[in-house]
Amino acid sequence: MTRTRKPRASAERPLELRLLADMLRIRRMEEKCAELYGAGRIRGFLHLYIGEEACATGAMHALAADDNVVATYREHGHALLRGVGMDAIMAEMFGKAAGCSRGRGGSMHLFDVARRFYGGNAIVGGGLPLAVGLALADRLQGVRRVTLCVFGEGAMAEGAFHESINLAALWQLPVLFCCENNLYAMGTALARSESQTDLCAKAASYRVATFRADGMDVRAVFDTVSRAVRQVREGGGPAFVELQTYRFRAHSMFDPDLYRDKAEIEEWKQRGPIHSLSAQLKAEGRLDEEAFLALDAEAEAEVAAAVAFAEQAPWEPVADLLKDVHTPAGAAAGGTP
Amino acid sequence: MAEINLVEAVNLALAHELARDEAVVLLGEDIGANGGVFRATVGLQQRFGAGRVVDTPLAETAIVGTAIGMAAMGLRPVAEIQFSGFLYPAIDHLINHAARLRNRTRGRLTCPLVVRTPCGGGIHAPEHHSESPEAMLAHTPGLRVVMPSSPARAYGLLLAAIRDPDPVMFLEPTRMYRLFRQEVADDGEALPLDVCFTLRGGTDLTLVSWGAMLHETQAAADALATEGISAEVIDVATLKPLDLPTILESVARTGRCVIVHEAARTAGLGAEIAAGLAEEGLYSLLAPVQRVTGYDTVMPLSRLETQYLPSVERIVAAARKTLEAS
Ligand SMILES: Cc1ncc(C[n+]2csc(CCOP(=O)(O)OP(=O)(O)O)c2C)c(N)n1
Ligand SMILES: [Mg+2]
């Protein structure tokens, strides 16, 4: 039996190891979700982030605890790294009442208001005006805070993108528009969707600062998003970041993935963010295989516990079917935390 | 004649019209090379070319708005919206323009547009992927709202929708896409719009429904038959304009009516039908009209979905109630 070295408590680790550990947490959680989907434990839709982990990891680490985050339906990783517990995420995937959206959101609508995670969003482009509104409210209420709004490149073809970034720029609101450009919107390649495939150029036409990073390199994402966040936080108005990335899996569990060249997928897989970072850290003498396996085991253990939690969690009682459509008379406005 | 399911019937009708009429153009997200999320347009771009089966970016507002312009120029666009929850960004153009073009120009311009979109729950998907927006659409003067409930009616009604000179919202019950197969001849014969279809005759009560709920409604009629109760089953099919005379005629014979729909109850089309019966058929009613519907809530995630959707048991119970009342 091989003994795994006990890893250092996560908070004391150097940043690179925390980034690596978090990418592993997302990866292992999602691999398990895919398995549970196959087994019929998770139903409906499931959009995996596998291959793109460096984006959420670098970006979420660049934020302050108090910042707002708005995401898309491919948001499992973002939610996890904003501090939504894996237990609560997994229970939500199952549709259980212990989930972070109390079983009504599912994989596409993870929410955690206490952590200022304003949701996954099943509507492409749906989160963009919301993010602008959060930022405007912060300004009106005298709070200095950054709102990070994550979306795919497909959303940039929706009217909501243009209306939102224009408002944010016009009113100089503290929004960081963060585009995860994985080159495809379902089966539609970027060039078949955008007249301007240089997404930074497109955003720049609204007179916002633009940044671009290799979305397969978590350190590059962290550095770039950190710079962008700093500029927005210091009152420089909104900014736009393009993270160039790739999803290794199909769009969703229903997608036969016939629109991409297998060779293209394989090529990108060579640049897998977890593999890249761990290889770099090993080359730099800051990680060995044993330490890597320890981090991985830690992630696996967290996933196993989350699944056990979700499995035993109770279903929402049928009596609650009609609850929370309207605020009950006498309840505080603004809802329950 | 081939046995096909509902989504294949949609494909067959689209192919028939693309071949028959050069003015027919399909547009939507991933409908071409990819064949559509539900594969309703599979093979059509290969067969008719990228100029007739057009892949668009993610832009529902522009898809529908552009299709209205095309229709005003005499083309017959058929737009696909991947799920009816994604229709809402396009509602502006449907309500403000498609529905009013004819009226605004006093008939000088018409809008022969079809918007196809899957609707309804039962596929374990939350919210936007399980919407039943038919009443909202039907409330808009100028929009025709059609929902098939079998492969044969999907084929015949879609042909009619494409040939119709005015905008038609063609709502395809997702749960029925692959539920059963039926022989459908590709004969280009359209079914009439604006009329109900009586699916089975009966003498004791009338069950009125549309779309996927006809599956449960027919099963309820079967269950009632084992108790010796004879239920007539009507598929409304065109929800706007509503063929009230067919329903009135049936209820004049049976004296009892249960309306079944999966959309939320309040201001649903069941209320419209019940109001029509109250206004014009009250004296033939032997019992109060019953509605079996979804609830006034957002479609819940998979587990509670079965509680939300009207069940055979709920329909049978409502039917019994009308029989006990007299
Ligand atoms: C308004 C709207 N239209 C269509 C869809 C269906 N849909 C879901 S994801 C998706 C592709 C989005 O691509 P992108 O924005 O690039 O994000 P990615 O999936 O690549 O992360 C589509 C078309 C939707 N959810 N919402
Ligand atoms: Mg994309």
Side-chain angles (χ1 to χ4, degrees):
Chain A
M1 194 182 120
T2 54
R3 280 182 49 208
T4 48
R5 191 166 66 197
K6 180 139 179 60
R8 270 196 276 179
S10 51
E12 299 161 14
R13 283 178 196 145
L15 175 68
E16 280 81 356
L17 288 186
R18 279 186 280 140
L19 296 175
L20 180 62
D22 277 343
M23 290 197 292
L24 278 166
R25 291 170 71 218
I26 302 173
R27 176 70 60 92
R28 297 297 175 237
M29 176 177 78
E30 288 210 305
E31 285 170 345
K32 179 55 89 178
C33 287
E35 190 186 314
L36 291 164
Y37 193 92
R41 306 297 298 149
I42 296 175
R43 308 183 78 169
F45 290 89
L46 183 65
H47 307 85
L48 299 177
Y49 196 56
I50 290 176
E52 305 187 43
E53 293 91 345
C55 298
T57 306
M60 296 303 124
H61 276 270
L63 293 178
D66 192 39
D67 289 334
N68 303 317
V69 175
V70 175
T72 71
Y73 48 85
R74 205 180 293 288
E75 88 287 29
H76 315 147
H78 308 80
L80 182 69
L81 300 198
R82 277 316 267 173
V84 185
M86 202 185 284
D87 288 2
I89 292 176
M90 198 57 83
E92 192 58 45
M93 298 278 187
F94 278 62
K96 297 280 184 86
C100 58
S101 302
R102 306 205 173 154
R104 287 295 181 94
S107 82
M108 296 192 275
H109 288 127
L110 304 175
F111 269 81
D112 192 331
V113 177
R115 293 182 175 79
R116 314 200 72 78
F117 188 75
Y118 287 92
N121 200 315
I123 298 299
V124 172
L128 284 107
L130 176 78
V132 175
L134 297 180
L136 180 57
D138 276 340
R139 157 157 328 149
L140 294 174
Q141 292 169 353
V143 182
R144 274 180 75 109
R145 187 152 52 202
V146 172
T147 296
L148 183 90
C149 179
V150 183
F151 50 92
E153 86 296 340
M156 289 181 66
E158 294 275 8
F161 169 78
H162 299 270
E163 300 187 24
S164 303
I165 196 166
N166 181 56
L167 277 191
L170 187 67
W171 296 337
Q172 289 292 292
L173 295 171
V175 182
L176 180 54
F177 293 95
C178 182
C179 177
E180 298 181 335
N181 177 11
N182 60 11
L183 298 174
Y184 293 86
M186 220 172 252
T188 304
L190 179 64
R192 293 176 48 234
S193 167
E194 290 292 335
S195 62
Q196 170 59 281
T197 53
D198 180 338
L199 300 178
C200 284
K202 183 171 173 174
S205 71
Y206 288 96
R207 301 180 72 185
V208 300
T210 61
F211 300 80
R212 181 178 283 139
D214 176 359
M216 306 308 277
D217 177 348
V218 69
R219 292 195 280 195
V221 173
F222 174 77
D223 289 342
T224 306
V225 176
S226 295
R227 272 192 294 129
V229 166
R230 203 173 311 126
Q231 176 166 336
V232 172
R233 200 183 305 287
E234 284 166 4
F240 174 89
V241 188
E242 177 193 357
L243 304 175
Q244 296 182 323
T245 185
Y246 200 81
R247 62 172 157 75
F248 293 172
R249 301 281 184 109
H251 166 76
S252 74
M253 305 305 277
F254 285 113
D255 172 15
D257 206 348
L258 301 174
Y259 45 83
R260 303 190 295 185
D261 199 1
K262 294 283 167 291
E264 178 185 293
I265 303 176
E266 284 314 311
E267 214 169 286
W268 277 91
K269 280 188 177 170
Q270 299 308 311
R271 303 179 47 207
I274 296 175
H275 168 75
S276 299
L277 180 63
S278 52
Q280 284 162 20
L281 293 177
K282 282 177 186 169
E284 293 164 16
R286 302 170 65 190
L287 180 77
D288 57 22
E289 185 60 14
E290 197 188 346
F292 176 83
L293 291 176
L295 291 180
D296 200 21
E298 203 177 75
E300 293 279 18
E302 187 182 5
V303 171
V307 174
F309 174 82
E311 288 281 4
Q312 59 75 41
W315 295 104
E316 183 180 8
V318 175
D320 286 357
L321 180 66
L322 302 183
K323 241 171 120 173
D324 290 325
V325 178
H326 294 289
T327 305
T336 43
Chain B
M1 224 180 344
E3 288 220 332
I4 56 175
N5 63 31
L6 198 151
V7 75
E8 290 163 345
V10 167
N11 185 278
L12 198 63
L14 292 172
H16 190 95
E17 290 305 278
L18 281 163
R20 188 189 65 79
D21 183 354
E22 292 237 308
V24 174
V25 179
L26 273 44
L27 66 169
E29 295 161 11
D30 275 334
I31 65 165
N34 231 32
V37 264
F38 287 102
R39 325 227 68 73
T41 52
V42 111
L44 298 180
Q45 191 179 64
Q46 287 90 316
R47 203 170 140 199
F48 296 99
R52 304 281 307 284
V53 180
V54 182
D55 275 319
T56 68
L58 255 156
E60 292 76 15
T61 309
I63 292 170
V64 172
T66 305
I68 296 169
M70 293 161 72
M73 294 288 280
L75 294 181
R76 291 190 174 261
V78 182
E80 176 178 291
I81 298 291
Q82 293 184 329
F83 278 91
S84 42
F86 314 154
L87 185 65
Y88 304 136
I91 283 285
D92 170 20
H93 288 270
L94 282 171
I95 294 181
N96 282 331
H97 306 296
R100 302 177 188 192
L101 207 56
R102 181 182 178 83
N103 187 263
R104 191 179 287 158
T105 63
R106 306 309 281 174
R108 287 178 189 84
L109 287 177
T110 56
C111 188
L113 160 73
V114 176
V115 177
R116 297 179 35 245
T117 188
C119 72
I123 59 162
H124 314 303
E127 291 200 41
H128 315 102
H129 301 78
S130 296
E131 308 271 303
S132 293
E134 64 264 28
M136 189 180 73
L137 297 166
H139 197 65
T140 302
L143 292 184
R144 202 170 238 100
V145 184
V146 176
M147 197 187 303
S149 66
S150 72
R153 278 186 295 284
Y155 177 83
L157 291 171
L158 184 51
L159 293 183
I162 295 172
R163 295 170 192 175
D164 191 83
D166 295 316
V168 179
M169 301 303 302
F170 197 79
L171 305 178
E172 299 166 3
T174 320
R175 183 156 61 97
M176 280 205 150
Y177 268 152
R178 296 182 166 81
L179 194 63
F180 65 96
R181 295 179 165 273
Q182 189 177 50
E183 285 200 347
V184 178
D186 186 15
D187 55 9
E189 288 291 325
L191 286 169
L193 297 175
D194 305 351
V195 298
C196 298
F197 296 88
T198 302
L199 303 187
R200 68 198 266 171
T203 51
D204 297 328
L205 81 156
T206 304
L207 300 175
V208 177
S209 191
W210 52 91
M213 281 323 304
L214 276 159
H215 187 64
E216 282 72 18
T217 303
Q218 301 230 62
D222 288 339
L224 290 165
T226 63
E227 299 172 24
I229 301 164
S230 161
E232 184 145 308
V233 177
I234 292 180
D235 175 3
V236 180
T238 299
L239 301 167
K240 170 79 175 287
L242 184 64
D243 171 18
L244 194 60
T246 296
I247 299 170
L248 283 168
E249 185 280 323
S250 172
V251 175
R253 282 184 285 104
T254 63
R256 300 170 180 90
C257 185
V258 176
I259 306 154
V260 184
H261 62 71
E262 106 172 44
R265 186 179 188 82
T266 299
L269 287 169
E272 180 62 31
I273 295 169
L277 288 168
E279 284 171 339
E280 296 181 42
L282 189 66
Y283 300 120
S284 50
L285 284 171
L286 301 171
V289 173
Q290 296 296 309
R291 286 182 290 161
V292 182
T293 69
Y295 298 99
D296 289 338
T297 185
V298 181
M299 174 62 101
L301 197 55
S302 75
R303 176 69 176 214
L304 284 183
E305 181 179 62
T306 45
Q307 303 295 326
Y308 175 94
L309 293 172
S311 61
V312 175
E313 294 70 36
R314 277 172 66 197
I315 301 168
V316 167
R320 283 214 192 89
K321 201 166 162 190
T322 66
L323 290 155
E324 283 158 12
S326 46

